[in-house]
């Protein structure tokens, strides 16, 4: 592959999840990590030393000093994703990789999609759990009718996030920059609801803040009806104590049951069409709830750029996931059933907070932060 076709990545935001991006980039053939940046320069320096790349406090400086960067990974607070995405596309004409949640509101997608189309820019939303072996085996069984028609889908996330976690950064636990257990921790499983279960027609959801001193929810429950008529239930919490227990999704189908569990939908625990598959399609995520999917993400990005292969998560699918996410919040806000296709934006999620957002700006440019 010619050198000018290499995937050359700059990282914005040097939190712990950025390490999984960096590891994946350096291990991926025809991909190269060029530079990293973060407003907490010590964090950028740490990754700089580990991966022997340049570090910066401002992504503007990084991109001006390294015009060879063709793709930028946005790993900043969720509430900054829109501004960073728009700025990187408009000002620097770079492809963008966006960590979850891709954007905070459904209405934000149109501006990013239009800019990307006008500039011939590619957008890569990150939902790495789709690449888990258990998820892929179940997806194949659904596509091939091995499991038959779906009757019921259940999601259960029981994780632990204490006040100490939320106090790590001002943006955490806020509606404007973060969202609660649904928007931050549960978003992958909300994505899997539709990836495996199909499009959701309507939802009824209730949220509470019980285990932490934060403004957002740390417990959420919901019932769902899918467009194809089957039903679903969802339970997501970060109020489990004293540690993380499980993140699971199960599908009761006309020909059998598929249950994916473990700490992060990484174990195929029940698979009635082929029980022996449970061992082969389970992975050990102990000590690593992010799993192994980021490597697959970067392999796909390289193929997308050089072989015109479609990326596994389209911007339309990402928008559908965020539309469903907002529907849960709207249902809680209105105490009513919500039609997902017509739901629009939550009044709380991604709400304006000028004081908070000003903390992530420098020289009239947005600052990056850790996720």
């Amino acid at each position: 592959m010619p050198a000018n076709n290499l995937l050359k990545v700059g990282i914005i935001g040097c939190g712990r999840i950025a390490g999984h991006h960096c590891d994946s980039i350096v291990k991926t053939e025809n991909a190269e990590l060029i530079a990293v940046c973060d407003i907490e320069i010590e964090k950028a320096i740490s990754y700089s030393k580990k991966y022997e790349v340049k570090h910066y406090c401002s992504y503007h400086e990084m991109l001006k000093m390294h015009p060879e960067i063709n793709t930028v990974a946005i790993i900043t607070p969720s509430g900054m994703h829109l501004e960073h995405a728009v700025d990187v596309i408009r000002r620097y004409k770079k492809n963008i990789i966006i960590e979850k949640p891709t954007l905070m509101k459904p209405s934000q997608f149109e501006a990013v999609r239009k800019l990307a189309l006008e500039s011939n820019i590619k957008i890569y939303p990150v939902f790495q759990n789709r690449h888990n072996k258990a998820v892929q085996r179940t997806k194949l069984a659904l596509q091939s009718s091995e499991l038959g028609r779906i009757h019921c889908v259940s999601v259960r996330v029981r994780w632990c996030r204490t006040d100490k976690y939320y106090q790590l950064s001002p943006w955490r636990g806020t509606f404007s920059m973060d969202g609660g257990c649904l928007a931050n921790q549960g978003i992958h499983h909300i994505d899997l609801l539709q990836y495996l279960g199909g499009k959701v027609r309507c939802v009824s959801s209730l949220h509470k803040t019980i285990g932490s001193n934060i403004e957002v929810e740390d417990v959420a429950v919901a019932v769902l009806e899918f467009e194809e008529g089957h039903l679903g239930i969802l339970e997501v919490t970060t109020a489990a104590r004293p540690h993380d227990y499980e993140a699971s999704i199960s599908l009761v189908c006309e020909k059998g049951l598929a249950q994916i569990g473990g700490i992060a939908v990484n174990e195929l625990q029940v698979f009635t069409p082929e029980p022996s598959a449970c061992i082969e399609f389970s992975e050990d995520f102990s000590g690593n709830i992010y799993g192994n999917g980021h490597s697959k993400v970067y392999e796909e990005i390289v193929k997308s750029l050089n072989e015109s292969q479609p990326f596994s998560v389209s911007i339309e699918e990402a928008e559908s996931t965020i539309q469903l996410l907002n529907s849960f919040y709207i249902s809680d806000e209105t105490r009513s059933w919500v039609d997902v296709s017509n739901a629009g934006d939550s009044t709380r999620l991604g709400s304006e907070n000028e004081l908070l957002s000003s903390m992530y700006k420098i020289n009239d440019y947005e600052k990056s932060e850790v996720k």
Side-chain angles (χ1 to χ4, degrees), residues 1-9 28-32 70-71 95 122 124 297-311:
M1 179 182 296
N4 61 357
N5 285 333
L6 289 173
L7 171 65
K8 298 185 177 183
V9 184
T28 301
E29 186 177 0
N30 298 315
E32 181 180 357
N70 56 27
T71 305
N95 300 312
K122 296 181 181 294
Y124 301 106
V297 168
Y298 279 95
E299 289 171 9
E300 282 196 338
I301 292 172
V302 168
K303 291 179 180 179
S304 169
L305 290 176
N306 293 281
E307 301 174 20
S308 298
Q309 292 193 17
F311 188 63

Side-chain angles (χ1 to χ4, degrees), residues 151-297:
H151 291 167
C152 180
V153 182
S154 302
V155 162
R156 188 165 63 195
V157 180
R158 294 173 171 174
W159 284 353
C160 173
R161 298 294 183 272
T162 64
D163 285 332
K164 183 178 179 180
Y165 165 84
Y166 291 107
Q167 291 165 2
L168 288 173
S169 295
W171 64 273
R172 292 185 184 274
T174 66
F175 279 115
S176 63
M177 287 286 177
D178 188 12
C181 60
L182 282 179
N184 193 323
Q185 289 77 24
I187 187 65
H188 287 293
H189 315 93
I190 291 172
D191 178 67
L192 291 179
L193 266 174
Q194 296 195 121
Y195 180 64
L196 297 175
K199 294 292 289 293
V200 175
R201 175 184 290 123
C202 57
V203 303
S204 178
S205 185
L206 288 175
H207 307 169
K208 293 287 184 179
T209 308
I210 296 174
S212 299
N213 184 28
I214 50 177
E215 69 179 32
V216 295
E217 82 286 350
D218 61 8
V219 178
V221 295
V223 291
L224 313 85
E225 182 183 17
F226 290 80
E227 289 186 354
E228 294 184 0
H230 52 282
L231 303 178
I233 57 175
L234 174 141
E235 171 201 331
V236 177
T237 183
T238 51
R241 298 293 184 265
H243 49 71
D244 294 343
Y245 290 95
E246 68 167 310
S248 63
I249 183 168
S250 61
L251 299 98
V252 178
C253 305
E254 64 176 333
K255 297 180 182 178
L257 171 69
Q259 179 173 305
I260 307 170
I263 198 66
V265 285
N266 54 295
E267 298 174 3
L268 189 58
Q269 296 176 332
V270 180
F271 191 70
T272 56
E274 184 188 357
S276 61
C278 291
I279 296 176
E280 180 182 356
F281 293 95
S282 293
E283 301 169 86
D284 183 5
F285 281 11
S286 56
N288 175 23
I289 62 171
Y290 298 117
N292 307 313
H294 283 94
S295 293
K296 295 292 185 182
V297 168

Side-chain angles (χ1 to χ4, degrees), residues 65-132:
M65 293 298 293
H66 298 280
E68 71 273 22
I69 291 174
N70 56 27
T71 305
V72 172
I74 298 173
I75 316 175
T76 55
S78 303
M80 297 302 293
H81 287 184
L82 175 64
E83 293 182 49
H84 287 147
V86 167
D87 194 44
V88 169
I89 295 173
R90 178 182 290 151
R91 194 188 304 267
Y92 301 105
K93 312 300 182 189
K94 308 295 184 183
N95 300 312
I96 54 172
I97 301 162
I98 312 181
E99 256 295 346
K100 58 80 182 173
T102 314
L103 298 170
M104 296 287 274
K105 297 175 177 289
S107 62
Q108 295 174 339
F109 279 81
E110 184 58 31
V112 176
R113 184 187 293 108
K114 181 179 179 181
L115 276 173
L117 185 63
E118 292 173 349
S119 303
N120 195 28
I121 292 300
K122 296 181 181 294
I123 303 172
Y124 301 106
V126 176
F127 286 109
Q128 81 275 3
N129 284 345
R130 288 191 181 196
H131 293 286
N132 293 357

